Each structure stands twice: as C-alpha cells, then as structure tokens.
Amino acid sequence: MSKQHLVAVIGAGPAGLYGARKLAEAGHRVVLLNRDIKPGGLAEYGIFPDKEKMKTGLRKQFKRILADPKVFYLGHVSVGQDKALSLRDLQAIGLSAIVVTAGAQGTKKLGLNGEDSIGVYHAKDVVYHFNTLPPFSLQQYEIGRRVAIIGMGNVMVDVANWLLNHRKIDQVVVVARRGPIEKAYDDGEFDVIEPYLDNADMRREIERISPQLTAVGQNVEEIIQKFVKQGEPAEGRRLQFRYLCSPIRVIANDQGRVAALEVEENLMVLQDGKTVAKGTGKLSAIEVDCVIYAIGDQVDPSLGLPFSRGAFVTNPEKLSGDPNPAAYQPYDPETKQVLGGIYVAGWSRNASVGLVGVAKQDAERGMKVVNQYLASKEGFTAGEMEAKIEAIIDMLQKKGASVVTKEDVELLEGAEQEEARKRHTWDFKFPSDEKLLEVIDARKAAR
Ligand SMILES: Cc1cc2nc3c(=O)[nH]c(=O)nc-3n(C[C@H](O)[C@H](O)[C@H](O)COP(=O)(O)OP(=O)(O)OC[C@H]3O[C@@H](n4cnc5c(N)ncnc54)[C@H](O)[C@@H]3O)c2cc1C
C-alpha cells in the first residue's frame, strides 16, 4: 500500500493556504489549523474592506485550495503554549512535518512613557476592528476627533483612510522619523486619502525641514512639487505630516486619556548612503486624542518557537540549495540545533514584509524545502493518517474547543452572502465568534 505524508500547517492566511496547496500538489495530506473561524488571515481581515475585486479574487483561490480533499481544515483552533493545542501536542501525535504560517500576531511597542493611556492603539488591532475580526470587531476604540499615526507605510494609509473616510474625524497627523522622500507607502494607495491633504500645512512643513533635506542632498523644490498638491482639504478634514519627529512620550489628561504626543525633532544624516534620523533634543507636543502605532508587527512568542527581537530564530547557516533551506528552519540558539521537522514561512518568517504575493512566494519556496525533507522520510498509510487526524480532533474536543470544518465555513459564507444581499452591500461579516458558531449550527440544523 502506498504511503503519504501528513503535514500540520498552523495558520490559514495566504502563506498557509498557498503552502498547503504546494504540499497537496506533491501528494501529501495537510491539516490546516487556524485561529480564526474563517480562513484568509490578513487577506480577509487586513486588506481594506472596500477592495472588493482583490478580496473576492483571493477568496475564490482560497476556496479552491480548501476544496482539495487532501486539505483538512480545522478553524477556531489556536496553537501555542496555553492554547487548545501546543506544538508539543502535535509533535507527540507524530506528524511528518509541522509548518508555522501564523503571521505576525505580536505587537511592537515603542516603550514610551504614557503608552498605557486610554487611546493608544496598535494599527493591527484597529485594522482587525474595521475588518470585523472577532473579538476586535466588538471592542471599543477611543478615537476622538484628532489622531496621530506613527509610521509612514501602507498600513498608515489604510488606518487614515478608515479614520477620514469612514469615521470622518477632523484631523490625522502622520508622525515620521525621517522626511517625505523616505515614505514607505505606495502613491497608488495614497490616492484615497490625498483629498484630505492640508497642502498649505504640507508646504510649511517641508519649508520647516528644508535645511535638513538640503544637508543630505535632497532637492527641496522637487519635494515641494511632488508632495504639495492644489486645493483645500476635502470637507474640512485634514491630513497633516510631521516629518523628522520621533515620538518621546504620550501625555495623558487627568482621566488617563491621550491629550498629546510629545515628539523630539530630528536631523537627518547620511550613513552608508542612507538617510538616518538623529535626535536634536528639541521637544514639542502635538495635541491629539488618540495615538496609533503603524510601525509593523512582530511574531507571537507564545507559539512556542525560539524567539528573539520580534522574530522566530531561524538557522543562521548557509546551506546549499535554492532557497537556502536553513532560512525556513526554526533554530534553538542555546542548543545550536534546528527544531527537526518544523518549518516557518510567510509573515511568521518575515514579519510585516510585503503583500499577499510575497507571502505566497515565500510559502511556495518554503514548501520546496519541506517537500525535500519529506522525500527522505517514511510516510503513513491512509489508516494511520486518519488516526492521527482523529487524535488531533479528540485532543481539541477534550479541551472543549468548538472546531469549525471547511463544510461549516461554506455554510457560514452562504449565510453572510445572503445577509449582504439583503443589505445591498457586496460583503457582510457577523461580528462575534459566538454569532458565527450560532449561524453555523442553525444552518446545519436546517439541512
Ligand atoms: C493593514 C494591512 C493591509 C494590507 N493590504 C494589502 C493589500 O491591499 N494587498 C496585498 O496584497 N497585501 C496586503 N497586505 C499584506 C497581506 O495581508 C500579507 O502579505 C499576508 O496576509 C501575510 O500572509 P501570512 O499568511 O503570512 O499571515 P496572515 O495573513 O496574518 O495569516 C496568519 C493566519 O494564521 C492564523 N493564526 C495566527 N496565530 C495562530 C495560532 N497561534 N494558531 C493557529 N493559527 C494562527 C490567523 O488566524 C491567520 O489566518 C496588508 C496587510 C495589512 C496588515
């Protein structure tokens, strides 16, 4: 009887799903274990809600991957220390390999004084909130009328888009350590918030920092031409930038709510051909009601892999092969050993780096490494694999977990689409896990 491999893939975002497809194409069976009830990760709960074409296109691809009988989906299952299932539990069941594609679920802090004030948030939590991911969907965010966003990438643009176009607040101030040229957002993404740009303020801001721009060889006139547009901010809602500023402290009022963000002005210097910010010691305060960190994320150490400086540690060796297999192997720096049979890919390997296409490519390259590893191993019979999947389900049931299958996800999606049609919108999501599970149960009972 021919033998196959059984691989656990932890996380059904783009990396996990495209990775599962590669493994299934190589003839292996996959158990996808996903924290969220629905698959998709940030493609479902990160990409801006009105990007209908992109989101529906990705959902279709994910649906096709899940339709493969070799892919077994278990949603609403968190893996990690103190979770329903740990990496150790999975190792004890004895699978052929374990692939961690759980994204970057940890949050980075700046360690500012006053960071615990009411009204200080991480962009990822806010993004999950406006993309209706339980439990973030029902949490209260004390936004107020004026918000400082720290960071200048595409996530900043998405958060500003939600604040200005949907929450319709009065003012967004983007705080950036360096200057306009060092922006990390794409111009195409910026279009949605450009109507709110306070052009008079932008001109003043570029003029204020012009000596520093000139000092590093940047052309002030060209920068003004590129960044200062025509016209007044739309509907009186203003988008402003504070360049060459590093956050120093969150100032709270006597109710513990954000009242201002204190920043230190920076100089820019050239180091190895790159611009670097250097503090001047000169402080000023930006009066705001809320501060949102859009500075990228880190992986979640509670998953149980060796962790250092926001990332899972991978094998530092340069091994032969393309890709370098070591780059996908978690590594214990104390024992100087790789964690045999465990792999990482996507944002779990490279936190907050790149679009869906990058996570897909990384997972596909990673699975090439996993497939090579599996080629040297003895597989399992169909019966042995069934028993191992049963053992996972048993373990989850003993811990009282309400596990969701891909058939359940389909029932849920059907109910959400019906609801969307009733509301004349292209998309609708139920906001809590309790409701999602209730809808699945109701649909099952009605069959
Ligand atoms: C705000 C924002 C907007 C974006 N917009 C775009 C865009 O417009 N276009 C684009 O191409 N890309 C966009 N991206 C990037 C894109 O979303 C990522 O490149 C991609 O989703 C990363 O895939 P991933 O699978 O590595 O991680 P994720 O998408 O984060 O998926 C991780 C999966 O792991 C699961 N998980 C987490 N922890 C556990 C655990 N302990 N146990 C089990 N499962 C777990 C989660 O439920 C999730 O399903 C955006 C990203 C952000 C943050």
Side-chain angles (χ1 to χ4, degrees), residues 41-351:
L42 285 165
E44 182 66 30
Y45 296 111
I47 294 179
F48 205 78
D50 64 8
K51 290 189 176 172
E52 177 180 350
K53 205 169 154 210
M54 186 186 292
K55 286 194 137 169
T56 44
L58 287 167
R59 278 182 192 167
K60 271 189 199 146
Q61 293 184 35
F62 298 159
K63 215 176 160 72
R64 274 201 294 273
I65 295 171
L66 288 174
D68 187 329
K70 289 204 280 302
V71 178
F72 191 83
Y73 179 80
L74 291 174
H76 203 214
V77 175
S78 276
V79 178
Q81 295 154 341
D82 309 323
K83 302 275 167 55
L85 211 56
S86 67
L87 283 177
R88 283 226 174 123
D89 292 334
L90 288 171
Q91 282 174 309
I93 290 171
L95 304 153
S96 307
I98 298 171
V99 177
V100 175
T101 49
Q105 307 301 333
T107 41
K108 270 192 200 164
K109 289 203 166 184
L110 287 173
L112 303 183
N113 238 322
E115 202 164 60
D116 298 332
S117 309
I118 301 166
V120 180
Y121 304 110
H122 287 92
K124 180 158 50 61
D125 297 2
V126 176
V127 164
Y128 278 163
H129 170 71
F130 66 68
N131 269 290
T132 326
L133 174 67
F136 302 90
S137 33
L138 294 177
Q139 276 159 16
Q140 287 296 318
Y141 288 82
E142 304 283 336
I143 298 291
R145 306 298 311 165
R146 303 161 306 169
V147 175
I149 307 180
I150 301 172
M152 228 189 348
N154 286 330
V155 174
M156 171 281 286
V157 174
D158 277 6
V159 173
N161 180 6
W162 177 66
L163 292 170
L164 292 162
N165 280 312
H166 298 264
R167 288 290 292 246
K168 299 188 188 302
I169 67 162
D170 299 334
Q171 189 185 12
V172 169
V173 185
V174 178
V175 177
R177 274 182 308 140
R178 295 182 293 160
I181 295 284
E182 284 78 19
K183 71 178 178 64
Y185 61 79
D186 297 316
D187 291 339
E189 298 288 323
F190 192 77
D191 288 350
V192 286
I193 53 172
E194 195 177 284
Y196 303 104
L197 190 62
D198 183 341
N199 288 300
D201 181 80
M202 183 59 126
R203 179 179 286 276
R204 275 194 302 277
E205 182 63 4
I206 295 174
E207 282 166 358
R208 178 183 74 80
I209 60 169
S210 60
Q212 284 86 338
L213 301 180
T214 311
V216 290
Q218 296 181 358
N219 184 319
V220 174
E221 263 324 297
E222 275 175 23
I223 291 175
I224 289 181
Q225 262 181 30
K226 181 167 165 51
F227 289 91
V228 180
K229 316 282 171 182
Q230 299 297 316
E232 294 293 314
E235 296 163 47
R237 285 175 234 145
R238 284 173 302 147
L239 170 64
Q240 300 179 327
F241 283 75
R242 287 293 167 266
Y243 294 115
L244 298 187
C245 283
S246 292
I248 293 295
R249 176 168 71 110
V250 176
I251 301 170
N253 64 17
D254 48 15
Q255 283 116 47
R257 289 171 192 275
V258 174
L261 177 69
E262 188 171 63
V263 294
E264 176 181 11
E265 290 181 20
N266 292 330
L267 294 175
M268 277 206 294
V269 289
L270 279 176
Q271 249 175 36
D272 304 325
K274 285 191 186 145
T275 51
V276 178
K278 281 257 155 92
T280 61
K282 189 172 168 201
L283 302 179
S284 60
I286 305 168
E287 288 185 14
V288 282
D289 311 312
C290 171
V291 174
I292 298 178
Y293 292 179
I295 52 170
D297 302 307
Q298 59 176 30
V299 299
D300 175 6
S302 76
L303 231 133
L305 293 176
F307 171 91
S308 168
R309 295 191 195 162
F312 294 132
V313 184
T314 50
N315 185 356
E317 271 187 62
K318 173 86 191 91
L319 301 177
S320 64
D322 180 27
N324 170 20
Y328 295 88
Q329 298 171 331
Y331 175 86
D332 184 342
E334 278 176 21
T335 59
K336 299 196 181 349
Q337 296 284 318
V338 296
L339 277 63
I342 305 186
Y343 295 85
V344 279
W347 278 24
S348 280
R349 193 177 84 82
N350 240 335

